[in-house]
Amino acid sequence: LKSNPSNNEEKEAQTQLTKSDELQRLHSQALSAYQQEDYKAAISLLDEILAVCVWDAELRELRAECYIKEGEPSKAISDLKAAAKLKNDNTEAFYKISRIYYQLGDHELSLSEVRECLKLDQDHKQCFSLYKQVKKLNKQIESAEEFIREGRYEDAISKYESVMKTEPEVPVYSTRAKERICHCLSKSQQATEAIKLCSEVLQLEPTNVNALKDRAEAYLLEDMYEE
């Protein structure tokens, strides 16, 4: 205004000033909702602020936290990815993205994100420990799949049993391992065991197409055509 005191400029300045007061008020409300664990309210307030302050990394990280608490990890990922770009050396964002992918069962994407963290800081304790875990699991799954391609079903079964030992805490990996072991049992004509294991998987995931196909193959081996 000092440099260009025209009417239009003054109106524009007053509008921006009012808007900035309003955003600060919304910001306080969002923080207070977050502290009171009302994450839905916090998200809707942060949506309003981020519509204007698009490039604010901290606000994106806060909204990502709310999404995680609300059980919406994929929405958290897009905010964290933006925060990783907006803030230099944002190891924390890469670590969180990697952890979310890991919990969702996407070990390959988890590995690539945790590597980004270690590129920025090779001594990052949390990232290094996660990296070792994901790398080990990734290697076991890759070699199990290689055995399946080669028709070495017994070897694949024992590899997938190792996967369940490596990661007993995240259910998606043991379910996936059981699904693949059932496939191996069915292929190697161990019908009874295949039916039992595929049924376990289908109790957890009734629409798992692979488990349905492999159990059907096993039923055929047992001449159980109706099933």
Side-chain angles (χ1 to χ4, degrees):
L1 273 175
K2 278 178 187 161
S3 69
N4 196 352
S6 73
N7 282 345
N8 283 351
E9 297 287 335
E10 189 168 344
K11 269 190 197 135
E12 173 67 10
Q14 288 300 343
T15 311
Q16 295 291 3
L17 204 54
T18 314
K19 193 186 277 181
S20 112
D21 287 345
E22 169 70 1
L23 288 172
Q24 283 181 353
R25 190 178 59 76
L26 289 172
H27 189 207
S28 307
Q29 286 177 345
L31 287 176
S32 142
Y34 177 77
Q35 279 148 8
Q36 289 162 19
E37 298 179 14
D38 185 353
Y39 302 115
K40 270 202 172 74
I43 289 168
S44 101
L45 291 159
L46 289 165
D47 287 348
E48 278 189 70
I49 306 168
L50 279 160
V52 182
C53 308
V54 186
W55 314 117
D56 192 313
E58 268 87 7
L59 290 177
R60 286 190 178 276
E61 284 170 354
L62 182 61
R63 187 168 67 177
E65 276 304 305
C66 295
Y67 281 136
I68 291 166
K69 303 279 192 196
E70 279 293 298
E72 296 194 74
S74 47
K75 287 185 178 173
I77 285 173
S78 70
D79 267 343
L80 288 167
K81 282 191 168 175
K85 286 199 182 90
L86 291 166
K87 209 157 85 180
N88 284 342
D89 301 346
N90 197 343
T91 50
E92 196 53 35
F94 284 117
Y95 172 70
K96 282 179 182 170
I97 296 168
S98 177
R99 274 212 68 78
I100 293 172
Y101 277 135
Y102 186 72
Q103 297 290 328
L104 291 172
D106 202 326
H107 50 95
E108 287 165 337
L109 280 175
S110 173
L111 190 58
S112 85
E113 294 293 335
V114 81
R115 279 185 176 134
E116 291 301 318
C117 170
L118 290 171
K119 273 185 207 167
L120 294 171
D121 176 7
Q122 61 193 31
D123 300 323
H124 195 290
K125 278 203 177 83
Q126 287 173 307
C127 284
F128 188 64
S129 136
L130 181 60
Y131 171 70
K132 283 197 300 188
Q133 174 71 0
V134 187
K135 193 179 175 198
K136 182 180 179 185
L137 192 74
N138 202 47
K139 201 170 174 196
Q140 288 174 332
I141 292 171
E142 276 178 359
S143 76
E145 287 301 314
E146 186 60 34
F147 287 143
I148 290 174
R149 283 191 289 276
E150 292 167 4
R152 294 165 59 185
Y153 298 118
E154 287 308 315
D155 291 334
I157 288 170
S158 99
K159 239 343 147 190
Y160 268 120
E161 282 167 350
S162 306
V163 166
M164 291 194 274
K165 289 193 187 97
T166 300
E167 186 42 88
E169 303 296 318
V170 183
V172 64
Y173 294 108
S174 39
T175 307
R176 202 61 63 246
K178 284 176 183 174
E179 176 204 299
R180 298 306 276 153
I181 291 171
C182 164
H183 176 73
C184 296
L185 291 166
S186 174
K187 287 288 182 196
S188 54
Q189 308 211 327
Q190 301 175 57
T192 316
E193 292 90 335
I195 291 165
K196 179 171 173 286
L197 205 55
C198 268
S199 299
E200 271 186 47
V201 174
L202 287 160
Q203 273 184 322
L204 299 165
E205 297 178 354
T207 56
N208 185 317
V209 176
N210 294 328
L212 285 166
K213 286 197 294 189
D214 289 323
R215 189 169 69 174
E217 291 290 339
Y219 280 141
L220 286 174
L221 292 170
E222 293 286 279
D223 299 335
M224 296 165 73
Y225 301 120
E226 286 298 321
E227 285 83 348

